[in-house]
Structures are given as structure tokens and as C-alpha cells.
Amino acid sequence: MRYAYSCAGVRDRLEACYDGEVPFSERLTVQKHLAECGACRLAADELTALGATLRSMAAEVGEHAAVEPLRLTAQVLEQLRVEDQLSVRAQVVALFQDMHLVWAGIGATVATLICIIGSASVLIAANQELPESLAGRISLLANPGSNANPVRLNYEMMAPRAVTDPAIEMSEGDAEYALSAVVSREGRVQGIEVINDAEPPSRRAVANAMLTDAYRVQFVPAQARTGGAVAVSMVWLVASTTVKGRHDDGLEMQRQALRLRNRPPMIGPVPVPSEGVPAPRPQSPTLTKPILPDAFDGPVPLAAFAAGG
Amino acid sequence: MKDAGALGWADVGGREAALIERCAAGEQAACAELVSGYERMVYQLALHLLGDRDDALDLSQEVFFSVFRTIGRFRGQSALKTWIYRIAINHARNRQRWWRRRRKADQVSLDQHVATHGDLRQPGEHTSPDRAYARKELAEKLWTALDQLPFDQRTVIVLREIDGLHYDDIAFSLGVAVGTVKSRLTRARQTLRQQLQGVRV
């Protein structure tokens, strides 16, 4: 059972009720209130009267309009037909009925395309930067630390460190080379040149083998203070030195003696001593000086590099 | 209550769906059928909203033209009638703006139009001259009041009182919420009642 509404409640629902937008039970409750409350009934009557007046006048206008033939159908269809005729598709179809225009259009299109491609290629060619050009030089100088423009190492940088073994095998004896090289941003060695190139042609093959080895060495690239990897130029000293070691005779003799003393005595028949002849004293083994080479001869490869331009 | 927002093709009705499909395919007979079915509705709505018969005719043509151009995109989101209402109202709103800008100086309201052309049916023979005069006065006042309402309020009251649309359909036609429809309706009725005070209804 729905509670009865107050006047304010009814007024709130009056319009929705009049418009038929409330449930049936609510409508009944409102109608019950209207039967009892004169003021609310007056408001409802006003609402009804307003709607009725509007509808009756609209009906009169509409009735007048209804007797007039609208002829909208024909007009709209005609408009649609005209639009179809003027549509792009229709115009294209009409255009293709006369092939002269089509050929002219295709020719013009091809000519335009050729012009565009020609202009574009000229523009692209003009914009290309040759490495030898002034613009190329300027852009090279503007980027210090690039592979093409390595910088000198200074104390603020972290020098490149070798990742692989930097030792270079050399098949010859004493030799010293100063190599100028660049450690790129990627840690690769590039542009190696022998600085002290006053060697006879016979040793050129040795030097070339050394350069090939040097190219294989991998580095952690040098780092600038800002943390970015930079390419640096460096001088790489390769020295092949023969190290001659001296043998210490005294020490070796002591070692020999020690070895003999610790050896167990030989087991064998004991000779019977002849009369009058004193038994020979057991002889201690003679200490012989080992014959050893005086020196170890052979190249000991050593490689060192010093950084700096 | 009617729920226009949740209508699908199944609710629109097979015949209406078939008509829409034929129109979308560009079939002239279907287009003619659609126009003849809805032209009176569109024209009367335009007349009530714009208050001018020539404008209403122009607008009706525009509306149908727009309907045929966009019917391919209609997916049964409402009844076809409500969808046409929506298009008509959008066109009327645009035309209203244009109309108010262009003809603000010599604006002709419907009451003047009615007075000049005698649109309203004369009262029947059984009514007295006094009553006839009162009716005429009331009609003039009412049309003046309607004409002076803001476009959105006028549209709401015309759609509700004259065309008998439900709140949901009005909301869809105007592209607003149902609450907005209710508040606009209340304001429009209040204004009309105030304008008509003193005139016997």
C-alpha cells in the first residue's frame, strides 16, 4: 500500500504523472490526492488545459497544412537524382567516356611525376654531405670524440683498457715499435701506423704480422668525464726483449748435495778386505758440476702501451 | 515506460528494417515510400519549431536528404521515427541560429503569420463572438510565448505535448539526458503559464 503524498510530493510528480511517465500505482496515489486537494487539482487542471490548448492549435495548423499537398517526395527524389548526377563518381564515369581527356590527364600526371622526381633527386643530391666538403669538415670538427675525430687522452678521462691479452707474438729478437693507433668508441683498434718506420724491407713482414695481431686486441673504450665513450688516439709501444738469465752455480751444488744425502745407501756384497791392505774407505760420490747452458736464450715478448697523442 | 535507447534491429520491426535496407541500397521506390510515410510528421515538427511554412518545407527537404545520405549508418539504435526526429531537430537548430542572425530585425513570429494568413480555423458557428475572440487572443498569446521560448525548451514542449513523445525519445532526439528533458519541460510550462496568465483558457 502506497503512502499518501503531501501537496509538495504531488506537485513534484504532477508533470511526470500527466505525461504518463510514472508507474500506475503512483498515478493512482496522485489521483487520489487530487480528488481531495483543491489546490493541487487546480494545478493539474492548468497543466491539462495548457496541453490541450497547444494540441488543439497544433491540430488546426496541422489540419490546414494537411490539406496542402506537400510534394516533398518528388522534390526529394529529384534532389537525390541531381546529387547522384553531380557526384564525383558520376563525373568520373562521364569523364572516361571521352578518352581524349583521359590521355591528356595521364600525360599531365606522368609529366608532373617526372618533374617531382627530378626536383626531389636534385634536392637530395644538393643536400648530400661529402666527407671532403667544408660542411663535412665542420660537422667532423663539431663532434670531437667520434671515430673520425678522436681526441687526445687527458687526466680527466678514463684510459682504454685491454679486454683481451695485449701481448703480441714476435718471431724475431729484440725489436721496438711505436705504433700510432686509435681506440674507437666501440673499443676496436683502427688506423694503426708504425711511427718509427726506419726498418729494412726484410722486416716488413714481421711488422705486418705484428700489426695484424694488434688489430685483434679488444679494448674497453676510453670514457670522458661525462661518462660517454670517446674515441682516443694513442701511441702503442711494442717491445720484444730478450731476457738473459744467469745460472747460480753455488745454489745448484747445494741442491745436488742435498739430493745425494737423502738418497738411501746402495745394498750389495761387501768386499772382503785383503790383509795388510787397509780396506778402502767408502768413497763419497764425486760432486760434479752440472753442465747447464749459460743462459736461456729466446725472445720474451713484452708489450706495453703508453697513451697519449 | 518505453526504452528507446536499447532498441535493436529486432525491435525496429522487420518491415521497417527492410525499408531502411532498400533505401540504403538507393532504391527509388523505397525512398518515395519513406518520404511519404514521414513527410507530414517532419513538416509539422518543422512548422512548430520554426513558425514559417516556407522554412518548414525547406527544412523538411533538407531533413529527408540528410536521412538518405546517412541511412547507411543507421543501425537501429532507436526507432526510425525517433532517428528522423533527431535529424530534423538538428537541422532546425542550425536553421534557427542562421535565421535568428539573418532576420533578427524583421523577424516574423508565428502569431503574426497566423494573423496575416488566418491559419487558425475559425470557431464554429455555435460559438459566440466573445468566445471566438478569446480563443484568437489566447492562440496569439500562446504562439508568441512559444516563439519566445529558447529553442531547446520549445522543442521539448512541442515534442511532448504536440507529438506525444516519451521522455526517452525526446532525450534521444535532443541528445541529452532524461533529467534534462524533465527540467526543460518544467521551465517551458512555467514560462507558458506565466505568459498566459489573465487569458481565459
Side-chain angles (χ1 to χ4, degrees), chain A residues 41-117:
Chain A
R41 195 166 55 243
L42 198 63
D45 287 347
E46 264 189 11
L47 207 58
T48 315
L50 180 66
T53 314
L54 274 168
R55 273 190 296 277
S56 72
M57 289 192 315
E60 285 171 8
V61 173
E63 197 175 303
H64 188 88
V67 293
E68 287 178 358
L70 285 177
R71 289 189 296 274
L72 265 181
T73 312
Q75 285 172 359
V76 171
L77 290 183
E78 176 66 16
Q79 204 176 351
L80 282 174
R81 198 180 57 78
V82 169
E83 201 199 39
D84 275 349
Q85 275 181 354
L86 295 178
S87 69
V88 176
R89 193 173 142 271
Q91 284 185 352
V92 167
V93 169
L95 208 67
F96 275 82
Q97 284 173 350
D98 187 357
M99 287 305 279
H100 287 92
L101 289 176
V102 175
W103 291 127
I106 290 173
T109 311
V110 169
T112 312
L113 281 178
I114 289 171
C115 284
I116 290 171
I117 291 168

Side-chain angles (χ1 to χ4, degrees), chain B residues 2-13 16-17 20 70-84 86-87 168-169 171-173:
Chain B
K2 221 173 132 188
D3 190 7
L7 278 178
W9 272 119
D11 306 310
V12 171
E16 199 171 276
I20 291 166
T70 53
I71 202 161
R73 296 201 290 273
F74 180 63
R75 292 280 173 273
Q77 57 270 48
S78 70
L80 179 63
K81 182 180 159 186
T82 319
W83 186 63
I84 295 176
R86 188 178 173 131
I87 293 175
D168 292 334
D169 290 342
F172 178 81
S173 302

Side-chain angles (χ1 to χ4, degrees), chain A residues 287-305:
Chain A
L287 291 173
T288 52
K289 185 182 171 188
I291 300 163
L292 286 168
D294 281 338
F296 294 106
D297 202 356
V300 177
L302 283 178
F305 63 86

Side-chain angles (χ1 to χ4, degrees), chain A residues 189-256:
Chain A
V189 182
Q190 58 187 34
I192 295 187
E193 281 176 25
V194 180
I195 297 172
N196 53 342
D197 202 11
E199 56 194 328
S202 59
R203 295 175 65 186
R204 190 62 57 79
V206 178
N208 284 343
M210 176 190 69
L211 291 184
T212 313
D213 269 355
Y215 272 120
R216 289 199 190 114
V217 180
Q218 271 286 334
F219 284 89
V220 175
Q223 282 194 336
R225 197 174 45 167
T226 51
V230 288
V232 289
S233 50
M234 65 173 193
V235 172
W236 192 345
L237 295 178
V238 181
S240 173
T241 311
T242 304
V243 179
K244 294 185 176 172
R246 277 174 61 78
H247 188 78
D248 193 335
D249 285 352
L251 188 66
E252 191 58 33
M253 279 168 66
Q254 280 175 8
R255 277 186 192 153
Q256 199 78 19

Side-chain angles (χ1 to χ4, degrees), chain A residues 15 18-19 21 46 49 51 53 55 57-58 60-62 64-66 68 72-73 75 79-80 83, chain B residues 1 39-40 43-44 47 53 61 65 68 119-120 135 139 142 160-162 166-167 185-186 189 193 201:
Chain A
E15 277 192 61
Y18 166 72
D19 290 331
E21 301 277 347
E46 264 189 11
T53 314
R55 273 190 296 277
M57 289 192 315
E60 285 171 8
V61 173
H64 188 88
E68 287 178 358
L72 265 181
T73 312
Q75 285 172 359
Q79 204 176 351
L80 282 174
E83 201 199 39
Chain B
M1 283 194 7
E39 65 179 354
R40 195 62 61 181
Y43 172 72
Q44 287 188 357
L47 187 61
R53 206 176 297 170
Q61 274 193 42
F65 200 57
F68 290 130
D119 249 359
L120 287 177
R135 267 185 76 95
L142 191 56
R160 174 66 216 127
E161 292 288 14
I162 299 174
H166 288 274
Y167 288 175
L185 205 50
T186 306
R189 279 172 171 151
R193 273 209 301 267
V201 178

